[in-house]
Amino acid sequence: MATRRALKAVLVDLSGTLHVEDSAVPGAREALKRLRSTPVAIRFVTNTTKECKRDLLDRLKRLDFDIQEDEIFTSLTAARNLLEQKRVRPLLLVEESALRDFRGLDTNEPNAVVIGLAPDHFNYQMMNKAFQLILNGAPLIAVHKARYYKRKDGLALGPGPFVAGLEYATDTQATVVGKPERTFFLEALRGTNCAPEEAIMIGDDCRDDVGGAQNAGMLGILVKTGKYREADEGKINPPPYLICESFPHAVDHILQHLL
Amino acid sequence: MAGWAKHLAGIKGVVLDISGVLYDSGGEGGGVPIPGSIEAVKKIKTSGLKLRFCTNETQATREKFVEKLQRLGFDIAVNEVTAPAPAACLILKERNLRPHLLVHDDVIPEFADVDKANPNCVVVGDAADNFSYKNLNETFRVLIGLENPVLISLGKGRYYKETDGLKLDVGVYMKALEYACDIQAEVVGKPAKMFFQSALREMGVEPHQAIMIGDDIVNDVGGAQQCGMKALQVRTGKYSWSFLYKGTERKTLVRPCDEQHPKVKADGYVDNLAEAVDVILKQLCE
C-alpha cells in the first residue's frame, strides 16, 4: 500500500458492524471515540428502505453512540440526492417510515419512480402507474435490489423482484443507488473533501460493503460480526484489504497503520 | 401490392392473435372490435384457408373468452382457439405437477381437474388485480421452498393494451419471481415453439404453409418465425402505442419502434387485420 495517500475518511456500516439488533458490538462505542480523536472524517453508511435517518439515529442514541444525523448516509439519502440532481418529481414507492427522508420534494405530477420496499404500494394498480410513468420517460430509481429479506414470519420479497419486473416491462435499466453501487460510496464521501483512495470502509457484508467500497477505489475491512459467515471473504476478488474480529480491531488497525 | 405478398405462395393456413388484432380489451362489454376485423375473419373462413386463433389470454376460461368474442360479433368457436391454460393443464398432468396458482380468478375453472394439494410447482398467469404483494409473496414462498423449483408462466408478455391504457402482463411477474428465486421459468404460450406447433397440428398445416398475424413483435412475430412460419405485424393493439412516445420531450428512454426491433423483423407490416387478409386473399387468387 506504499502508493496510497494518507487516510482521510472512514466509512462505517451500522447494522452488524456497530450494533447487532439492539445491542452495541462490545467495545464499539469506545473504539468510535478513539477514531473521533483523530483528524479523519467519519460517515455512517447503510442500505435501508424502511428506516429514515431519524429512526436510525434514535436507535444509535439509545445504544449511546456519539453520532450526528448529518454523518449518516443511507440508500434513501442517495435516492434523494439523485432526485435533486435530476430535478425530477418522484412517485415514491416507499414505506411511510421512509417518507421523512424525502420531505420537501415536489411529488406532484411525478416524472420519476423510486422503488424502495413498500408492500402496501406494490399492488397491480400502483405498479401500472409506475410502468406508465417509466414508458413516458421517467427514470427508474431503485433504493437497492435485494431479492428478499428475512421477516419474523419467514422470507419476504425485497425491492429487487419489482425492480426487475419493471425493467423487463419497459426494456430499461434501473439506476440502483444503494450499496454495493460505486456511486453510493462516492456520494457518501461528498463534503468530506477526500478522494476514494483516501478512504476506508468497515462492514460485515463482504459483497455490499467491502466489495463495493474496493470497487470504488477505497480500502475495505471485513468484520466478523453481524451477518458474517465463515468463508465470506472468499466471495470477492480482489479479497478484502483486511479481515478483523470486530469494529474495535478495525479501528486499532487504522490508528496504528494508516494515519 | 405489398412487397411481402410475393412470399405468400403455398400458404394454406392463417394463425391469428386475438387481443390487439381482433379487438381491444377492457372497458364496458369487455372490449371493442378493431374496425374491419369481424369481416376479415369471415373472409378467411369462406376462402378455404385453414384458420386457428392463438392467444395468450389467461384472464378467462377459453369458453368465456370465446363467448365474449362471439358477443362482439366474431365468428369463432372454442375448438378453434389455442390458449395457454388448457395447454398447461396437459403438461401438469403429464409431469405429475401440482400447481400453486397465481392467476386471474376467472381462469381458475380451467384447472378444476388438476390436483393442487401440497403444491410442487407454481403456475403464473395474467392475474391482473390478483398481483398483490401478499399473493406474490405467498407464491414466492412456495417456490423458494421447493427442492426443485418449477415455475410455469402462461406467456411472457411485457404489457398489453386495454381501452384505458397499457397494462402490465404476466411476463413482468414471471421476471420478478425468476429474479427472486434465481431460476428460469418455463413458458407455456407464445412465443414458445411447442405452443405454435400444437396450433399447427390442430390445423393440419406445416409451418412453412402458415402465416401468423399479431400485434406483438416478439411473442407473435418472433415466436412464429422461430417455428418456421411467416409472420405479419399489424399496426393495431399494443403496436400503435410505440408511436405515441416517439419524439416526446423530456425523455430519457425511447422505446424502440417495433419496426426497428433489434432482433425481430416481420415478413410484412400492415395497418390492420383487414388489410392483411385482403392482400393474402388477392395473392391466393393470382
Side-chain angles (χ1 to χ4, degrees):
Chain A
M1 293 296 145
T3 59
R4 292 197 76 88
R5 286 178 257 171
L7 193 72
K8 283 191 185 165
V10 179
L11 305 186
V12 184
D13 174 49
L14 292 176
S15 173
T17 302
L18 280 192
H19 65 91
V20 176
E21 285 171 14
D22 282 325
S23 315
V25 165
R29 274 183 291 252
E30 297 70 23
L32 182 58
K33 280 193 186 126
R34 288 201 296 282
L35 194 58
R36 283 210 186 278
S37 68
T38 73
V40 298
I42 304 174
R43 291 288 181 275
F44 301 91
V45 294
T46 182
N47 265 1
T48 170
T49 43
K50 216 166 66 179
E51 295 169 295
C52 66
K53 272 192 198 182
R54 178 65 65 84
D55 292 346
L56 293 170
L57 192 66
D58 286 349
R59 180 198 280 141
L60 292 163
K61 285 203 161 141
R62 274 201 308 277
L63 296 176
D64 234 4
F65 280 104
D66 168 26
I67 287 175
Q68 305 300 315
E69 187 166 341
D70 61 5
E71 293 176 315
I72 300 176
F73 186 79
T74 80
S75 44
L76 292 175
T77 328
R80 183 189 178 119
N81 289 355
L82 186 62
L83 291 167
E84 286 178 340
Q85 220 174 65
K86 288 182 180 279
R87 295 165 195 264
V88 284
R89 302 176 302 277
L91 171 73
L92 294 168
L93 302 190
V94 302
E95 271 189 305
E96 289 295 312
S97 53
L99 281 177
R100 173 189 273 271
D101 282 352
F102 295 95
R103 268 190 199 164
L105 284 180
D106 184 5
T107 53
N108 291 310
E109 292 180 52
N111 59 0
V113 174
V114 174
I115 305 275
L117 183 62
D120 294 340
H121 290 315
F122 287 157
N123 56 50
Y124 189 60
Q125 287 84 347
M126 196 55 98
M127 286 287 284
N128 271 318
K129 192 172 170 190
F131 162 64
Q132 282 160 7
L133 287 173
I134 299 163
L135 273 189
N136 275 312
L140 172 60
I141 298 167
V143 171
H144 61 73
K145 219 179 158 184
R147 292 181 153 81
Y148 51 83
Y149 66 106
K150 212 169 169 179
R151 237 168 34 185
K152 277 183 195 128
D153 62 342
L155 295 181
L157 290 168
F162 297 90
V163 175
L166 287 172
E167 287 181 329
Y168 176 73
T170 55
D171 210 359
T172 182
Q173 286 278 310
T175 304
V176 184
V177 296
K179 294 186 278 188
E181 296 301 313
R182 200 169 161 270
T183 47
F184 177 87
F185 293 95
L186 301 182
E187 278 286 299
L189 283 184
R190 255 218 295 193
T192 63
N193 202 18
C194 72
E197 294 74 25
E198 300 165 317
I200 194 163
M201 166 82 207
I202 306 171
D204 67 325
D205 189 312
C206 190
R207 277 206 190 101
D208 286 0
D209 293 329
V210 180
Q214 295 194 152
N215 208 21
M218 305 176 181
L219 295 178
I221 300 181
L222 179 65
V223 291
K224 295 184 172 183
T225 50
K227 72 170 66 161
Y228 173 84
R229 293 287 168 273
E230 193 77 27
D232 271 358
E233 53 271 30
K235 285 180 179 171
I236 57 167
N237 188 20
Y241 158 73
L242 187 71
I243 303 156
C244 286
E245 281 309 311
S246 68
F247 177 70
H249 294 88
V251 169
D252 290 342
H253 175 88
I254 291 169
L255 296 180
Q256 286 162 25
H257 300 284
L258 297 176
L259 295 176
Chain B
M1 163 105 23
W4 52 268
K6 58 182 179 288
H7 301 299
L8 288 172
I11 289 298
K12 290 185 175 158
V14 179
V15 181
L16 296 185
D17 173 36
I18 296 180
S19 182
V21 175
L22 299 191
Y23 85 117
D24 282 322
S25 62
E28 272 176 51
V32 184
I34 291 167
S37 288
I38 294 175
E39 297 73 26
V41 170
K42 277 187 196 139
K43 281 185 195 170
I44 300 172
K45 287 198 165 179
T46 52
S47 72
L49 283 170
K50 297 269 179 61
L51 173 62
R52 186 92 195 154
F53 301 93
C54 197
T55 181
N56 270 8
E57 171 65 45
T58 56
Q59 282 207 7
T61 61
R62 198 162 40 157
E63 281 73 15
K64 292 278 180 207
F65 186 45
V66 167
E67 269 174 36
K68 177 171 88 177
L69 292 164
Q70 288 169 342
R71 236 179 8 253
L72 292 176
F74 288 98
D75 179 0
I76 183 170
V78 171
N79 61 13
E80 294 172 326
V81 178
T82 300
C89 285
L90 292 177
I91 292 172
L92 293 171
K93 282 177 187 167
E94 233 172 67
R95 288 164 53 184
N96 282 322
L97 290 171
R98 300 177 305 277
H100 169 90
L101 300 175
L102 177 55
V103 297
H104 198 281
D105 289 344
D106 293 342
V107 84
I108 289 175
E110 293 274 20
F111 297 90
D113 297 336
V114 176
D115 181 8
K116 293 180 279 292
N118 189 19
N120 58 0
C121 83
V122 160
V123 172
V124 59
D126 173 16
D129 287 334
N130 278 347
F131 282 132
S132 62
Y133 182 85
K134 183 172 165 287
N135 287 344
L136 202 65
N137 208 32
E138 264 173 39
T139 307
F140 158 70
R141 284 181 181 182
V142 170
L143 207 51
I144 197 103
L146 295 174
E147 199 178 320
N148 172 31
V150 175
L151 172 61
I152 294 177
S153 186
L154 306 180
K156 62 168 196 176
R158 293 162 196 260
Y159 53 85
Y160 49 84
K161 187 190 165 192
E162 290 211 323
T163 44
D164 63 341
L166 295 183
K167 298 289 165 69
L168 291 173
D169 200 356
V170 59
V172 175
Y173 292 88
M174 172 195 86
K175 280 287 165 193
L177 289 168
E178 282 187 341
Y179 181 81
C181 302
D182 214 355
I183 56 169
Q184 284 278 312
E186 300 173 35
V187 177
V188 176
K190 297 176 284 186
K193 219 173 191 172
M194 268 179 63
F195 196 66
F196 286 104
Q197 282 165 344
S198 87
L200 292 172
R201 218 167 26 244
E202 293 285 341
M203 300 167 82
V205 162
E206 294 295 317
H208 68 274
Q209 301 171 319
I211 188 160
M212 169 84 207
I213 303 173
D215 68 331
D216 188 312
I217 185 72
V218 173
N219 293 303
D220 294 328
V221 175
Q225 288 175 335
Q226 282 285 314
C227 196
M229 301 163 68
K230 299 241 180 305
L232 301 180
Q233 187 178 26
V234 290
R235 298 189 183 104
T236 54
K238 73 183 76 172
Y239 177 91
S240 48
W241 288 75
S242 309
F243 291 99
L244 277 183
Y245 301 103
K246 269 178 73 184
T248 50
E249 291 175 25
R250 234 183 328 105
K251 257 171 90 56
T252 55
L253 171 136
V254 178
R255 195 140 59 96
C257 172
D258 287 348
E259 289 182 34
Q260 287 141 27
H261 193 278
K263 292 192 188 117
V264 186
K265 188 155 180 49
D267 293 284
Y269 299 88
V270 288
D271 284 342
N272 49 40
L273 179 62
E275 185 193 338
V277 170
D278 283 347
V279 174
I280 292 169
L281 295 184
K282 196 166 166 204
Q283 185 67 21
L284 280 184
C285 292
E286 288 187 359

